[in-house]
Amino acid sequence: YTMNPSPATRRRAVLFDRDGTLIVEKHYLHDPAEVVLEAGAIEALTRLRDLGFVFAVVTNQAGVGRGYYGLDAVAACNARLADLLAAHGIDVAGWYVCPPAPDEVCDCRKPSPGLALAAAAELDLDLAASWVVGDKKSDVGLAEAVGARGILVTTGHGGTDVAWAEAHGLPVVADLAAAAALIAEATP
């Protein structure tokens, strides 16, 4: 017997894309030594943590499905990112990876809702009170798919989807600091 908590007791979160959002975009990143935080990431996450948000990383990793590297490389890069954040007192509550290539059928490849739904179930998240921040249309599409609010950052590949996001009335900001400011402004 399980009792689901009421939405009032569920946690609000920020679900972050990894590459091009939290860390500097590298083409098919698979070497943890190449993990570099985006400028202002620590300050942005500290501000959001202090507002009571929990964090999860939701990342498409097509390089695995394409055979460029394995899940062990993804895990090593995630561990490096976790270490960089932990050095500043920032914890990521969950890591969610979609390894299939784009042409494979799955329910986890953003903008499909699989990764966010898994995070919500495992971390007891209230997705309607949560945000998705990323540098691609698929990231803000994920927000729409699960009833969260999305923000497109123009770091990474974000510049490519600005016109699309603006046409859909979605917020577009320069970086994580601006995303954190927008979330803080909207948070009661």
Side-chain angles (χ1 to χ4, degrees), residues 109-125:
R109 185 168 188 77
K110 296 178 291 182
S112 293
L115 297 179
L117 295 176
E122 292 175 18
L123 304 175
D124 195 27
L125 305 180

Side-chain angles (χ1 to χ4, degrees), residues 132-154:
V132 180
V133 177
D135 68 322
K136 291 184 180 171
K137 179 169 37 172
S138 59
D139 299 314
V140 287
L142 171 64
E144 185 178 50
V146 298
R149 290 176 281 183
I151 300 174
L152 181 74
V153 291
T154 59

Side-chain angles (χ1 to χ4, degrees), residues 23 32 35-37 42 78-90:
I23 61 174
V35 172
V36 176
L37 289 171
I42 296 302
N78 288 347
R80 175 69 180 140
L81 174 54
D83 289 346
L84 291 172
L85 296 174
H88 297 277
I90 298 165

Side-chain angles (χ1 to χ4, degrees), residues 161-183:
D161 292 328
V162 169
W164 175 88
E166 288 174 344
H168 288 82
L170 299 165
V172 177
V173 298
D175 53 24
L176 285 172
L182 185 67
I183 293 168

Side-chain angles (χ1 to χ4, degrees), residues 52-73:
F53 285 94
V54 295
F55 305 133
V57 171
V58 290
T59 179
N60 291 342
Q61 291 294 319
V64 175
R66 291 179 168 148
Y68 300 159
Y69 49 85
L71 280 171
D72 56 334

